Amino acid sequence: MTKYFTILPFLIYCSSAFAQDYTQFVNPFIGTSNYGATHPGAVLPAGMASVSPFNVAYKKGDGNVFEKDSEWHSRTYVHENNFLTGYSHVNLSGVGCPDLGSILLMPTTGKLELDPEKYGSTYRLEQASPGYYSNHLTKYNIKTEVSATMRTGISRYTFPAGESHILLNLGLGLTNETGAALKIVSHTEIEGYKLIGTFCYNPEDVRPVYFVAKFSRPADKFGAWKKMPEYTAEAAWTTYNNIYKPYNGYSYEMAGENIGTYFSFQTREGEAIEVKIGISYVSIANARENLEKEQPAFSFDQTAAKAKSVWNSLLKRIEVQGGTDDEKTIFYTALYHILLHPNIFQDVNGDYPLMESSGIGKTNGNRYTVFSLWDTYRNLHPFLSLVYPELQSDMINSMLSMYKESGWLPKWELLGMETNVMVGDPATPVLVDSWLRGIKDFDIDQAYEAMKKAAITTDGNKLRPGIEKYSTLGYIPEGAYDNLWGTVSTTLEYNISDWNLAQLARELGKNDDYKYFNKRALSYRNYFDKFSGMLRPRMSDGSWLTPFDPKAGANFEPVVGFVEGNAWQYRFYVPHDINGMIKLVGGSKKFVNELQRCFDEGNYDMANEPDITYPFLFNYVKGEEWRSQLKVRELIGKHYSNTPSGIPGNDDTGTLSAWLVYSMLGIYPHCPGDMSYALVSPVFDKVTIHLNQKYYPGERLVIQTEKNKPGDVIIEKVKLNGAPYNGYFIDHQNLINGSELLFKLKGH
Amino acid sequence: MTKYFTILPFLIYCSSAFAQDYTQFVNPFIGTSNYGATHPGAVLPAGMASVSPFNVAYKKGDGNVFEKDSEWHSRTYVHENNFLTGYSHVNLSGVGCPDLGSILLMPTTGKLELDPEKYGSTYRLEQASPGYYSNHLTKYNIKTEVSATMRTGISRYTFPAGESHILLNLGLGLTNETGAALKIVSHTEIEGYKLIGTFCYNPEDVRPVYFVAKFSRPADKFGAWKKMPEYTAEAAWTTYNNIYKPYNGYSYEMAGENIGTYFSFQTREGEAIEVKIGISYVSIANARENLEKEQPAFSFDQTAAKAKSVWNSLLKRIEVQGGTDDEKTIFYTALYHILLHPNIFQDVNGDYPLMESSGIGKTNGNRYTVFSLWDTYRNLHPFLSLVYPELQSDMINSMLSMYKESGWLPKWELLGMETNVMVGDPATPVLVDSWLRGIKDFDIDQAYEAMKKAAITTDGNKLRPGIEKYSTLGYIPEGAYDNLWGTVSTTLEYNISDWNLAQLARELGKNDDYKYFNKRALSYRNYFDKFSGMLRPRMSDGSWLTPFDPKAGANFEPVVGFVEGNAWQYRFYVPHDINGMIKLVGGSKKFVNELQRCFDEGNYDMANEPDITYPFLFNYVKGEEWRSQLKVRELIGKHYSNTPSGIPGNDDTGTLSAWLVYSMLGIYPHCPGDMSYALVSPVFDKVTIHLNQKYYPGERLVIQTEKNKPGDVIIEKVKLNGAPYNGYFIDHQNLINGSELLFKLKGH
């Protein structure tokens, strides 16, 4: 892969002088192939703005393999591609649906060309590190560098001598939503907005993202442009027919679908021009204020240094010793990916768009957005609760504000819009799990009210379609509801949410609720089909869906009863009742055999969430825990690597990365809301997690690992604070008290 | 023509009670066929906003014959058509190029339909009078009525019971410019802008027109909409593919090319909903202020009554007696069409867009726009100077402001943009003619400076391309200039401008200038080809263009050397030197013969401007004046009528109407800048023109006409203030002193 350069060699060389620099172990190219859907652009932790190279338009250049409009495509950047058409300033990381990837800035030279298919360029000499990305545009001999603050991006383009241009394109982008407006304010400033949305092709969710762009040097010439429609009868008189039309010197409002601006400069050899762009989801005025507050001057180097420093301050929360450079890199890069979403939504003045409303809210704290909860409730939020509880607290409070504003907790919240993507009621396990772990600085009564509303409302329940039959029949029958995706999967999700709510009810002394929800949490058993040993869709009359193929539905193929998976992949997804499941399937031995079959027969999918807790479930059967230890290590080796394809599939806003980080630490929260972690073999010799003492009594959690020889992965024994520790689960309370966990590993 | 109803019968019945109501004699349907390009919508004199039925989209309905995109089409309304897709709120009247015809409001009922091709409706029961238009939508059983103030429109839709909608469409329109943005402000208000321009397919001239729309009743539901692009690979997941997508309840900014809003209402039978729309070319805030100041309440009837009253106050400036109702109607309708353009450009607060700049100016007076000067300098401005000198004064001052703002006088100014349509330097005769007629309340020194700049600047002369060769050679040779349209025509135009400038120079005592320009004004003679008797294009070396066909170029066919005409149509276009031309062609008899041939052999075109003074030129030859009298009356009868096709062709912002009004009065300003009118036979028994005594000493001009028998058209004798008057020309001074002109007509 000749065009793939990281700045690792240099950084490693310097690492002795900067021992605290963990950004050296982040490779932002990981996940940019194999549908990981991450991008290598510049972004801060939880950054609202980001600056990503955009190379997914047109099958052109030195082989653009993937083209955004030729498939279901959710990536602003694909490592295999090599035709850059600009830098997008709002981007999602690791999501499965196209959106954002908009507000594209692109430098060019020579004759002004407005068609991105023509002005795009191949590139080489890519470099990326947290808060920084750079390449060299081969067509123009321009060095491009980008960095970011929380709500702004900055680009530095180093031009050759001659006629140079910087194009802002509001037409091209990843989002399927069309339409934009802009105004050239002066020779150094542009303002406007671009409509984004239709996430997952959902036509309802649309809003504008506002921006203000400022240039470090006044343009010698500027203008707007727009692609004109195709004229037929009038073609004879129409100068710009189905092509890009320049509006030279135009400084009124411009609106349309394929519009942009050009700023032209006569540049000296090696002259650098910087462009900073402020973003807001509230207004142009706020975008300008964000820009003025976060980047009052033009100082690319300072901005990039600040970004690196901010990253380091979060990454160093976990210090590792031992392991190879590649292991450290996949670990810290996963940590990096975890910290991208949910991200900040409010402007520097505290303004943010209210949930599901066109109103504007104001907050003194942090308002988060981009909650891909069907993914993240499983491990990412439990991870944040452990390592970054202050972030998780703000996220919880953001979720509760969404409830206050819209009447419902979020499911897949994107920029203040409930996209209703995926199924279940995943906010509940996030809230409960956080509370139980020790994050209690939110209004638990209101949280309970919000969760219970979703759990019991039968009329117009926006979060839990099918709740009526679910409550009365104990399962959701096939065919009873239009537009209800995956009766079995949805029921399983409701079960774990109910189980979580029950745990909290017990904590809060709401015993009736506890009993009710705890019982309802086991209703999945109604789907258990003794004949197949599977959870099998049922009809309203209680009969089984027939025919039934437990393998049908793998690889995201649609299948009746299940959501992004087949019966195998959902077979054991009752993490709150694995012991019950063991009985159902016929005992421990049968359970172990079937779980092993799941892996052996290719029914386990590392690239999607429903089954990602399965590798840890062998821990439930005494004497079989080695299977979890082996399997997890095998999956890490097979699916994760320090390469662009080093994430098994869509990162799902960090969920697959959270799986990796936990697995490498040797602890995994196998069931959200259950304070028990499954133990597997840690990868590193020593890991120190610096705990946030506002939430946890301990200063740090240390995980030490001793091996007899390199390659040992089987747990021989475990010690907690020097004392032998029995069992392969450990409770959260044991990790947050300043404990030291020691693993002694042996060969297989 | 079954769908053609005027409200004349009712008004005539009432006319004895309202003797002063001249609006009864205006038929706004005149000119809506035969490419007249007028519209029957509601508009005030010089109104910035107007509300016109828009029926030129789609070949549909009960036979839409003309379709805007299938030809060069400059009409918002064509009488032959019958498929209404809304009411446009900015419109041009009688222009030859497509523009404006935008901001379309349309009522519908039943299931919400957003595609104008589907929601359009046929209609019947059309009524139109100054400031009022109404019809009945057959598809929906909705009565629609519209009226206007200077900068706003109002619509009243009377709905049947049920689900009703009012759609605002910013995509459909006559302009070829695309792009719009809007925001639904509340359940009763929308704001936004639409880009307009590319007038005459000139891509450079583009700007936004801003609007605010307010509804008399809150919508029960509202939303935005947009036509989505065509998806191919993604079509499988895309709900709205190449169709109109509703954004229900959307109230953020919306931008795009084919966008709009719907406001839905549950209506009672016969419920009327009013919508008023304010327009501004400066800002949305100004559009709102215009609306609040001009229509503070919802009162359709009051607004319509006010509009009628304003029209009457101007129309009654000329009172006629005698003549048939049809004659009165074509006369007052022509007066109505004269008064539409130039129109007001400034907002109620005095703001207006500076000429050729994105800046905003402020005026205490009236700033006019839409100067189609190649057309209007010939007769419309001289007419305004005589009958409405206060309007002409404001127009002159507007033209001078344009010079101050942009450095050049206007040629074809549209909404602050110099479109450079047509040729010559027509501002000069307008300024000079006005000054000589007695309009002197403008800065004559600055005007002189501006005119002389155009007349003598050789480098970068924006108004007079070819000026260098014109000045040195005495003519513009073929092939010497790229993009110079019509060497002979352009020279002729420069000649008359030079002659005008010379007249003013003499007035101002600038004798050198007088001599120079007076001489240069005769340089057309260099084109006189003795062999053909024609003005013939020449090459740089002095040789004639060969081959040369004096008939080539009729009917707007392109031809070398001439602009929208052939050599015949330009043969006598030296109105300032007809006596010179008589000599050139070989004397009076030859001149009369050739002029008569021009008519007899079909070389005269009543539908375009170059030759419209020809019918009056027989007056130059003693004893042949009867030919002018007969010819003018014949042309009126042949080309003008009280029918939609009652204007010979494109009204050219009132120029063909001004020809009619003058011709019916019996006086015609045969040469702008020459204070002499040619006399022909008046149509009416008595005409009283109430003069503006701020400009003219006389209270009124009375033109009486006596006939021996109906049908007499030959002037037997003329009396001025009771004394016999000799000759067939009369000087302006004789008309503005309170004179009475008496014509005695006889049979032929």
Side-chain angles (χ1 to χ4, degrees), chain A residues 68-72 176-181 193 195 198 201 203-204 206-208 210 226-229 231 233-234 237-240 245 247 250-258 357-358, chain B residues 68-72 176-181 193 195 198 201 203 206-208 210 226-229 231 233-234 237-240 245 247-248 250-258 357-358:
Chain A
K68 68 185 181 68
D69 296 326
S70 63
E71 57 178 319
W72 182 301
N176 279 304
E177 191 57 43
T178 63
Y193 60 87
L195 297 192
T198 64
Y201 302 92
E204 297 284 323
V206 176
R207 68 175 324 124
Y210 306 88
K226 178 164 59 186
K227 189 173 184 189
M228 298 307 287
Y231 297 93
E234 293 172 289
W237 315 296
T238 302
T239 316
Y240 298 99
K245 167 179 167 182
Y247 297 67
Y250 186 89
S251 57
Y252 309 109
E253 280 88 352
M254 168 60 69
E257 272 150 36
N258 225 325
S357 151
S358 61
Chain B
K68 67 186 181 70
D69 296 326
S70 62
E71 58 178 320
W72 182 302
N176 279 303
E177 190 57 41
T178 63
Y193 59 87
L195 296 191
T198 65
Y201 302 92
V206 176
R207 67 175 325 126
Y210 305 88
K226 179 164 57 186
K227 188 173 185 188
M228 299 306 288
Y231 297 93
E234 294 171 287
W237 315 295
T238 303
T239 316
Y240 298 99
K245 167 178 166 181
Y247 297 68
N248 303 313
Y250 186 89
S251 57
Y252 309 109
E253 280 88 351
M254 168 61 68
E257 274 153 32
N258 226 323
S357 151
S358 61

Side-chain angles (χ1 to χ4, degrees), chain B residues 97-224:
Chain B
C97 290
D99 208 352
L100 300 187
S102 287
I103 311 176
L104 265 65
L105 198 68
M106 174 78 181
T108 69
T109 64
K111 182 172 171 292
L112 180 64
E113 173 59 58
L114 301 174
D115 182 346
E117 188 167 2
K118 294 176 184 160
Y119 71 61
S121 171
T122 53
Y123 50 91
R124 57 196 182 88
L125 300 174
E126 276 191 296
Q127 293 188 339
S129 61
Y132 179 85
Y133 171 91
S134 172
N135 70 24
H136 195 92
L137 300 183
T138 47
K139 183 173 179 180
Y140 300 117
N141 192 24
I142 298 170
K143 181 180 185 183
T144 76
E145 299 168 282
V146 300
S147 186
T149 70
M150 191 57 88
R151 299 165 184 89
T152 79
I154 185 163
S155 301
R156 176 165 64 190
Y157 303 137
T158 304
F159 288 101
E163 183 78 10
S164 297
H165 316 283
I166 299 176
L167 307 170
L168 180 71
N169 189 325
L170 300 182
L172 188 65
L174 194 58
T175 181
N176 279 303
E177 190 57 41
T178 63
L182 65 86
K183 190 172 193 308
I184 297 172
V185 179
S186 72
H187 282 75
T188 57
E189 188 169 333
I190 310 160
E191 64 179 33
Y193 59 87
K194 164 80 182 94
L195 296 191
I196 49 88
T198 65
F199 185 69
C200 294
Y201 302 92
N202 179 343
E204 298 285 323
D205 297 315
V206 176
R207 67 175 325 126
V209 53
Y210 305 88
F211 72 89
V212 168
K214 294 192 181 190
F215 292 71
S216 63
R217 201 197 113 170
D220 299 325
K221 289 186 291 186
F222 65 70

Side-chain angles (χ1 to χ4, degrees), chain B residues 464-492 494 523-524 526-527 536-546 560-562:
Chain B
R464 294 211 199 183
I467 187 72
E468 195 187 353
K469 297 276 185 197
Y470 171 81
S471 305
T472 53
L473 280 183
Y475 68 96
I476 303 175
E478 277 306 319
Y481 296 96
D482 291 339
N483 301 321
L484 188 146
W485 186 20
T487 52
V488 177
S489 297
T490 297
T491 298
L492 294 180
Y494 292 171
S523 70
Y524 78 90
N526 291 319
Y527 284 123
R536 179 171 175 180
R538 295 181 81 166
M539 315 312 286
S540 287
D541 63 2
S543 64
W544 298 111
L545 175 78
T546 306
V560 172
F562 300 92

